[in-house]
Amino acid sequence: MKWKEQLLTLTPYQPGKSIDEVKRQYGLENIVKLASNENPFGCSAKVAEALKNAPISFAIYPDGYATDLRESLAAFYKVAPEQLILGNGSDNLIQIISRAILGKGVNTVMAVPTFSQYKHNAIIEGAEIREVPLANGHHDLEGMLSRIDANTGVVWVCNPDNPTGTYIPKDKLFAFLEKVPKDVLVVLDEAYNEYVVADEGYHVNELVSQFENVIVLRTFSKIYGLASLRIGYGIAASEVIRALEPAREPFNVNTIAQKAAIAALEDQEFIQFCKHKNREGLEQFYQFCQESNLDYYPSQTNFILIDFKTDGNEVFQFLLEKGYIVRSGKPLGFPTSVRVTVGSKEQNAGVIEAMKQFLAVKTS
Ligand SMILES: *Cc1c(COP(=O)(O)O)cnc(C)c1O
């Protein structure tokens, strides 16, 4: 068959091992999954309440415009409803943007390593990939600027970055955006924005009115704890949204997700609780790393990349057999590290204990 040539070079996304898989394989009772940056506290209790009381008919298509959720988000961010695009997860928005702009003869600029989906989608569309190595775990913004030319379609900036957890402060980010040509779309993937404590942040509405070539991606999968429902959104100038909309499939966000997201957005107290607990959790990991002389990147997210100075797969496997699923840094571009999601206090203490055992076995 006449597959796109570039498709044959790709492998499907490898999700972390599931809890049931690990239980069965190692005969363990209790498994803690700290691999996919999910929220250990679940989602707001208001979500279950809202869904219980909502008359949802499974036979009816969802609202393709997500009118109610759109209005909630517009009010929350003080933007116009036409400045929003909804996605079946922000992964779907990455796909929509790629489909809308990238193709043969177009190039796209991104960091390496960074979130894998930018490159994956760009390859499918046949675009030229221009990867700019991270400098000390941070985006090399000058380096990225220097790779932009007349054929550049999209620049991807993951802030905070996955898998390092590093953050571009507001002043540096804005100085960078000033220098990007106005006909190049900058995608600011802010999946972890709600966890950031590094600076005072900025108002998204100011950002997208100042820079009409920027789209900010956010998600309900991380701090909002709705990963299974698949819902994310983009915020941009209305001209950007209008151009992207035809590339979106009409009913890409299901009814349950729309209703759940509205309820989740209303409970900002829960979000603040999770943010606070996450900082406490990170402190547990920082302390462990310092005591054990392990390098790590101070994180602005709900995960931490820890360098064990040995094969990351080996650390991963050891922890797996103790019932902790983490991500090996190997496929993420950090071969001697593991990426651990910050869990509850008890989960953190547990995985830290297991990591101490690994170090003890390793040095004995
Ligand atoms: C998790 C993640 C996403 C994907 O989020 P979904 O909304 O669940 O598709 C996007 N970008 C980054 C950097 C992520 O870590």
Side-chain angles (χ1 to χ4, degrees):
M1 273 176 280
K2 293 154 190 146
W3 303 114
K4 286 182 177 180
E5 200 180 305
Q6 62 269 24
L7 207 62
L8 305 175
T9 69
L10 293 174
T11 50
Y13 180 78
Q14 294 284 336
K17 279 185 191 288
S18 79
I19 290 178
D20 283 341
E21 220 178 319
V22 176
K23 270 189 190 168
R24 245 180 287 124
Q25 200 173 347
Y26 298 100
L28 294 163
E29 292 262 309
N30 295 314
I31 305 292
V32 176
K33 182 168 175 247
L34 300 171
S36 304
N37 308 334
E38 294 143 334
N39 189 336
F41 306 106
C43 68
S44 163
K46 296 214 159 74
V47 170
E49 223 171 282
L51 292 180
K52 203 168 61 195
N53 299 324
I56 296 173
S57 171
F58 293 153
I60 306 298
Y61 277 106
D63 174 358
Y65 194 62
T67 312
D68 292 345
L69 174 58
R70 184 179 294 270
E71 273 168 19
S72 294
L73 285 168
F76 186 76
Y77 286 106
K78 299 186 171 60
V79 296
E82 311 79 58
Q83 289 185 269
L84 290 157
I85 183 168
L86 280 293
N88 186 33
S90 47
D91 280 345
N92 181 214
L93 294 166
I94 294 168
Q95 182 188 36
I96 291 169
I97 292 163
S98 302
R99 187 178 180 193
I101 300 184
L102 301 180
K104 280 226 161 25
V106 180
N107 70 66
T108 183
V109 178
M110 65 192 73
V112 63
T114 188
F115 189 55
S116 61
Q117 289 305 297
Y118 318 140
K119 182 174 180 177
H120 188 92
N121 281 281
I123 290 173
I124 292 174
E125 299 303 336
E128 179 202 336
I129 321 281
R130 296 189 173 179
E131 297 183 301
V132 179
L134 295 176
N136 282 324
H138 289 261
H139 276 67
D140 172 10
L141 295 176
E142 285 303 317
M144 291 175 78
L145 282 171
S146 75
R147 300 299 309 278
I148 296 174
D149 64 18
N151 296 321
T152 303
V154 180
V155 176
W156 307 88
V157 178
C158 189
N159 194 36
D161 194 29
N162 180 0
T164 56
T166 58
Y167 178 69
I168 305 165
K170 181 186 171 186
D171 52 342
K172 280 209 178 112
L173 177 68
F174 276 59
F176 166 77
L177 295 175
E178 292 281 359
K179 293 182 200 152
V180 177
K182 294 295 163 234
D183 60 349
V184 174
L185 184 68
V186 180
V187 179
L188 274 183
D189 183 350
E190 300 188 337
Y192 301 96
N193 173 274
E194 296 87 355
Y195 285 109
V196 171
V197 297
D199 62 16
E200 79 285 11
Y202 55 82
H203 286 289
V204 174
N205 59 355
E206 286 167 23
L207 179 95
V208 299
S209 60
Q210 190 175 341
F211 302 104
E212 297 195 346
N213 59 329
V214 173
I215 184 165
V216 175
L217 302 187
R218 300 269 176 103
T219 180
F220 283 99
S221 296
K222 304 289 157 63
I223 204 167
Y224 284 93
L226 297 177
S228 79
L229 293 181
R230 312 307 302 126
I231 184 157
Y233 52 99
I235 311 170
S238 51
E239 291 76 13
V240 170
I241 301 298
R242 198 175 308 133
L244 286 174
E245 270 291 325
R248 178 179 71 82
E249 64 168 295
F251 302 108
N252 62 336
V253 179
N254 72 74
T255 307
I256 300 172
Q258 292 184 27
K259 295 215 187 288
I262 293 170
L265 192 65
E266 277 168 9
D267 193 355
Q268 289 300 312
E269 214 175 294
F270 175 74
I271 301 307
Q272 288 310 313
F273 166 81
C274 295
K275 181 177 180 175
H276 177 73
K277 287 286 175 198
N278 184 65
R279 286 327 297 182
E280 291 182 346
L282 279 170
E283 290 302 329
Q284 290 175 271
F285 286 99
Y286 292 168
Q287 199 186 341
F288 158 69
C289 290
Q290 283 154 14
E291 284 168 7
S292 309
N293 256 320
L294 298 173
D295 289 339
Y296 64 95
Y297 292 109
S299 174
Q300 292 295 319
T301 64
N302 66 338
F303 58 83
I304 182 167
L305 188 69
I306 303 174
D307 189 355
F308 280 81
K309 301 259 178 341
T310 181
D311 189 334
N313 287 353
E314 203 186 315
V315 187
F316 164 82
Q317 190 59 35
F318 184 92
L319 297 177
L320 189 67
E321 289 170 24
K322 297 264 179 282
Y324 292 93
I325 314 176
V326 302
R327 275 307 284 272
S328 168
K330 220 163 189 180
L332 304 176
F334 289 89
T336 60
S337 297
V338 293
R339 193 194 67 189
V340 187
T341 302
V342 177
S344 67
K345 188 176 177 184
E346 296 70 31
Q347 292 173 332
N348 300 335
V351 74
I352 286 170
E353 186 49 41
M355 290 191 289
K356 282 181 180 165
Q357 288 172 14
F358 174 82
L359 291 173
V361 170
K362 200 68 193 159
T363 50
S364 66

